Amino acid sequence: MKTFKKVLALALATVMSAAVLTGCGSSADNRMIIRIGHNQSTNHPTHIALVAFEEFIESKLGDKYNVEVFPSELLGSQNEMVQLTQTGAINFCVASNSLLETFSTNYTLFNLPYLFASAEAYHASMDDESITGPIFESTKDAGFEAVTWLDAGTRNFYTVNTPIETPADLKGLKIRVQQSPTNVQMMNLLGGSATPMGFGDVYTALQSKIIDGAENNELALTDNGHGDVCKYYSYDMHQMIPDILIGNIAFLDGLSEEERAIFEEGFDLVNEVQREEWTDAVAEAKDRAANEQGVQFLYPDTKPFQEACAPMHEDMLAQYPDLQPIYDAIQAYNEQYPSTES
Ligand code: GCU
């Protein structure tokens, strides 16, 4: 399956690069094809939201654009899709904020463990353009720009057979993390052994015992089958990392003012639909994981985890002092919407 996907991705990438080089990204009817890639299944909130975007753009500009959404890593891994978006071989993709810190260090901020005190503080921060603006625009020179954010819930540890109640339980365990320096540093501070890899490789790595566990939101258990292998999911709540819809800068800059306004409406729609779908999707995933996959949900005291990661905040601010005002603005939301955990 994986090899098939890789071959398909390579074939598509080749076709698309040729299309870009010859300037013909258009369909038989002469409409321009807009390609959007992501790594989730077709029942995931992100896919549902992108299909709503496709319908919206085609209802407004259907004589000119044909929008195509490619789910499930069909265009490659997230890293590969970001590179395809950079070069303009595809127009948009969804990337985890984690990966983007290797393209612009400003993105490091949203990857910090325990940055947001609550989901409300997270949402309010991400909806505040004075917070996201300097980060979202920081990759323009790299060829892409963030056009909206998507909810990816809270990341928690889950393992094949070790209940994680305290950071000490992670000792000696190989845990898959996303391919980002911040995530590797976090795992090391918590005492586990960080094993970075792409999302599409995690299931097989769990099944073949190359890793002992991973960390993600609840949808990974059901949508990606991780709950078939991992039986303990522990709410240590270490990160709320948004997904980001990024667009090729040359494509975006090439839109007329009227078209850009319609696309902006479309980006808002993606955010709105995805977030509307998210809460129910998490509740459903949790229910299915508990009742059909036999996953046990654990609720450890999060403080020891938080204390182990605390030095990362100071480290990051010392390394990137320009991020201090944005960090402070997030702290103000944390005060307004504090944690409800006792
Ligand atoms: C979440 C997130 C994805 C990301 C994945 C991962 O599912 O929504 O964008 O790729 O985590 O852990 O890699």
Side-chain angles (χ1 to χ4, degrees), residues 106-312:
N106 281 6
Y107 277 93
T108 311
L109 178 62
F110 298 144
N111 296 335
L112 277 185
Y114 302 102
L115 175 66
F116 302 109
S118 62
E120 290 77 11
Y122 164 49
H123 293 163
S125 301
M126 294 306 299
D127 283 337
D128 183 338
E129 281 175 20
S130 72
I131 289 180
T132 56
I135 295 169
F136 282 6
E137 287 165 21
S138 63
T139 51
K140 277 189 171 174
D141 289 345
F144 65 88
E145 178 183 9
V147 293
T148 192
W149 68 279
L150 308 169
D151 205 344
T154 307
R155 298 184 77 94
N156 299 292
F157 291 112
Y158 51 93
T159 56
V160 178
N161 52 24
T162 314
I164 306 297
E165 301 277 12
T166 71
D169 296 326
L170 288 162
K171 205 170 165 44
L173 297 189
K174 287 202 200 80
I175 305 287
R176 178 268 172 167
V177 293
Q178 290 177 287
Q179 294 139 305
S180 101
T182 302
N183 287 346
V184 172
Q185 193 190 356
M186 173 190 76
M187 199 61 249
N188 292 340
L189 283 172
L190 286 169
S193 165
T195 311
M197 67 175 74
F199 193 38
D201 295 325
V202 181
Y203 180 81
T204 315
L206 285 168
Q207 220 187 17
S208 55
K209 306 217 160 25
I210 290 172
I211 50 175
D212 302 295
E215 48 80 55
N216 215 318
N217 60 57
E218 298 85 339
L219 270 62
L221 298 172
T222 49
D223 256 31
N224 306 92
H226 299 181
D228 292 340
V229 192
C230 294
K231 299 302 169 191
Y232 296 99
Y233 187 96
S234 204
Y235 279 105
D236 67 287
M237 316 281 284
H238 55 263
Q239 283 160 320
M240 294 177 195
I241 298 190
D243 278 340
I244 310 287
L245 179 63
I246 62 167
N248 172 263
I249 207 77
F251 170 75
L252 290 167
D253 286 352
L255 294 170
S256 68
E257 216 174 292
E258 293 76 28
E259 286 176 347
R260 180 69 191 238
I262 293 171
F263 272 79
E264 288 299 333
E265 249 187 274
F267 302 145
D268 289 346
L269 182 72
V270 174
N271 176 277
E272 195 187 306
V273 173
Q274 202 267 356
R275 289 165 70 182
E276 258 169 34
E277 296 282 329
W278 184 260
T279 317
D280 284 354
V282 169
E284 252 176 61
K286 210 174 157 181
D287 187 60
R288 272 187 52 206
N291 296 314
E292 292 171 28
Q293 297 175 307
V295 175
Q296 276 188 47
F297 288 92
L298 309 166
Y299 298 86
D301 178 5
T302 61
K303 282 206 189 69
F305 294 88
Q306 199 162 341
E307 279 161 16
C309 298
M312 291 180 73

